[in-house]
Amino acid sequence: MVISHQMTAFEEVNLLFDRSSDRLNLSNGLREMLRRPWRELQVQVPVRMDDGHIEVFTGYRVQHNGARGPYKGGVRYHPAVDLEEVRALASLMTWKTALVNLPYGGAKGAVQVDPALLSQPELNRLTRRYTLNIEHLIAPNRDIPAPDMGTNSQTMAWMMDAYGQLHGYTPAIVTGKPVELGGSLGREAATGRGVGYLLMEAAQDLEIDPQGARIVIQGFGNVGSWAARLLHDSGCRIVAVSGVRGGVYNEKGLDIPALVDHYRETRSVPGFSGGENITNAELLELDCEVLVPAAIGNVITAENAPRIKAKVVLEGANHPTTPEGDDIMTDRGIKVLPDILVNSGGVIVSYFEWTQNLQQFHWEEDRVNEELRKTIVRAYHEVRDRAASEGLTYRQAAFDIGVQRVAQVIELRGFL
Ligand code: GLU
């Protein structure tokens, strides 16, 4: 199939959704309802900068589908984010929460800003203004934001505080908060931990030995750095890692704790003495068993997919692969575990955080991690079994399970 290179991220996700709707025989009306966001808001976010001048940023909150529960999804701060990308990410949240069977719908928010260029007080003011401007759409039983690229637990603390000034103490309004403010133990590491659990569980089916396999991780933010740390602690060999400025490679395996220290000091991966510098493009094409793209979207495309040498790709990032890149990898026999399964650990533990907040009760970290493992492993088994019984790729199976669950709930609610 020839796919135009002009497709937006939302059109790409909808191509996967449409293929799934065909397999599931959904009616045209239902497809239309599931494809398009239920509600979307664009807001101005004016901020008084430290030097006194005013800058006006653009913010979004897209609520893609609320059939299975309150909308759920992160808030991204990125200079290149636009409405189509937020729609794509919101739609992925709908299928992700359904796939791992959390009682949530899907949403995403964003502000078009480079957070590295703002001071902490500027980011605090920006976050508060954004929160006030979307305040009428969110609530613990309506829509619950969380961190995503460019945001973190501090951002969530500011959001909770701004919301609380209007509504009183409401920790369940956001997840991914600092533990001191009602965040869950294990939430920060959860996405990376989920990647690790999945690799261990799927290794046998994928015919790889997790201890001997050469693992390559693109991205050293929250997902990539935690995945690297936890996999290294389990005795795995991480041969390459990269950040925005490039990466490092060591065939014998990188000393990840030393790399974490180097990154903390220099905010950069290249230059680490325990490996040779490589570019992000080179890293993706390294000879390895497992490749984990855990950075930005659209990094595996029609252009480089023919040269990917990994046996297995675990998508830690959201939407790292274009549909063309995906088709090429499938044709070449590369097994791809899709983003909505692989990176679901974050929203799974967000769900545990929200339930703890609603009950004003704290779980031990071991309980959080064990429940995370059970939830992501159950979802993996469902994906694997459906892929095997229906002759589908893991991505097709994951989409079919998610889309089918949302479609069923729409029927049950009877609101059509
Ligand atoms: N931003 C994360 C994701 O894309 C987490 C969302 C959440 O916890 O609500 O899945």
Side-chain angles (χ1 to χ4, degrees):
M1 177 198 249
V2 180
I3 300 165
S4 153
H5 289 274
Q6 310 309 318
M7 278 183 121
T8 66
F10 188 44
E11 286 164 346
E12 289 182 344
V13 172
N14 279 336
L15 182 69
L16 304 174
F17 165 78
D18 286 336
R19 290 173 178 173
S20 188
S21 309
D22 287 341
R23 287 190 294 275
L24 296 169
N25 260 319
L26 298 187
S27 71
N28 285 340
L30 193 54
R31 276 176 206 225
E32 193 65 12
M33 188 179 167
L34 295 181
R35 190 190 291 119
R36 282 163 37 181
W38 284 12
R39 181 152 63 171
E40 40 189 47
L41 177 67
Q42 177 174 327
V43 295
Q44 255 204 13
V45 186
V47 178
R48 183 162 312 270
M49 306 302 276
D50 293 342
D51 68 2
H53 84 280
I54 293 167
E55 288 223 10
V56 184
F57 300 93
T58 303
Y60 308 96
R61 185 74 184 167
V62 172
Q63 298 177 331
H64 177 264
N65 188 289
R68 300 183 76 259
Y71 302 100
K72 186 85 191 80
V75 177
R76 175 171 290 205
Y77 288 176
H78 193 273
V81 79
D82 61 19
L83 183 55
E84 279 290 280
E85 190 182 359
V86 185
R87 287 172 173 150
L89 295 166
S91 162
L92 287 173
M93 286 308 301
T94 300
W95 316 128
K96 187 187 308 187
T97 54
L99 171 64
V100 292
N101 221 350
L102 304 177
Y104 285 138
K108 202 76 161 200
V111 178
Q112 200 185 81
V113 60
D114 182 351
L117 302 180
L118 270 64
S119 69
Q120 288 296 300
E122 287 167 345
L123 281 172
N124 183 352
R125 292 194 289 274
L126 174 127
T127 302
R128 282 170 189 283
R129 179 55 67 122
Y130 170 68
T131 307
L132 293 181
N133 288 355
I134 65 161
E135 170 273 327
H136 54 294
L137 293 194
I138 62 175
N141 63 349
R142 291 197 176 276
D143 184 356
I144 306 119
D148 195 78
M149 200 188 289
T151 57
N152 54 30
S153 59
Q154 176 62 75
T155 322
M156 295 305 111
W158 291 327
M159 287 191 82
M160 171 186 156
D161 190 66
Y163 188 84
Q165 284 185 322
L166 295 172
H167 300 274
Y169 176 67
T170 318
I173 187 60
V174 286
T175 57
K177 298 177 290 293
V179 173
E180 298 81 352
L181 277 181
S184 179
L185 293 168
R187 172 63 184 88
E188 198 191 286
T191 315
R193 193 178 293 278
V195 175
Y197 286 150
L198 210 53
L199 180 60
M200 297 302 164
E201 184 65 25
Q204 210 182 352
D205 301 332
L206 299 169
E207 293 165 355
I208 45 173
D209 163 19
Q211 306 300 325
R214 291 163 298 171
I215 302 175
V216 169
I217 301 179
Q218 186 198 31
F220 212 56
N222 175 275
V223 183
S225 67
W226 277 108
R229 263 190 259 191
L230 296 165
L231 287 169
H232 181 267
D233 288 351
S234 325
C236 295
R237 177 159 58 125
I238 323 276
V239 294
V241 163
S242 67
V244 231
R245 297 189 201 139
V248 284
Y249 172 68
N250 183 338
E251 200 201 319
K252 297 201 186 74
L254 293 162
D255 178 349
I256 299 296
L259 179 59
V260 168
D261 289 343
H262 164 85
Y263 188 77
R264 197 175 294 130
E265 280 156 32
T266 62
R267 304 311 299 164
S268 156
V269 174
F272 174 58
S273 57
E276 312 157 29
N277 288 352
I278 48 166
T279 66
N280 260 299
E282 288 166 343
L283 174 131
L284 291 169
E285 296 172 20
L286 281 173
D287 196 4
C288 63
E289 280 70 45
V290 182
L291 171 64
V292 184
I296 44 169
N298 283 353
V299 294
I300 302 178
T301 64
E303 198 278 314
N304 63 359
R307 298 188 303 276
I308 302 276
K309 296 183 194 68
K311 208 171 151 189
V312 173
V313 173
L314 293 188
E315 294 184 337
N318 284 314
H319 198 55
T321 307
T322 66
E324 281 178 312
D326 196 33
D327 291 345
I328 293 169
M329 287 199 289
T330 302
D331 290 346
R332 295 185 53 229
I334 300 173
K335 295 188 182 125
V336 183
L337 287 182
D339 49 4
I340 58 172
L341 174 64
V342 177
N343 71 31
S344 63
V347 73
I348 291 170
V349 176
S350 275
Y351 167 60
F352 301 154
E353 179 173 331
W354 179 73
T355 60
Q356 290 171 74
N357 294 151
L358 294 175
Q359 298 178 31
Q360 291 291 319
F361 184 78
H362 279 282
W363 293 9
E364 302 282 338
E365 185 165 358
D366 285 352
R367 177 172 178 195
V368 172
N369 293 343
E370 184 48 25
E371 295 281 338
L372 162 61
R373 198 190 59 73
K374 278 197 276 189
T375 310
I376 201 163
V377 163
R378 189 187 313 121
Y380 166 68
H381 288 165
E382 287 172 352
V383 169
R384 176 196 64 189
D385 295 348
R386 185 150 182 156
S389 68
E390 300 190 13
L392 303 173
T393 66
Y394 292 123
R395 192 190 310 279
Q396 290 169 331
F399 263 75
D400 287 7
I401 295 168
V403 171
Q404 192 168 36
R405 286 202 175 128
V406 181
Q408 270 167 354
V409 159
I410 285 176
E411 294 289 336
L412 279 171
R413 281 183 182 250
F415 60 49
L416 283 179

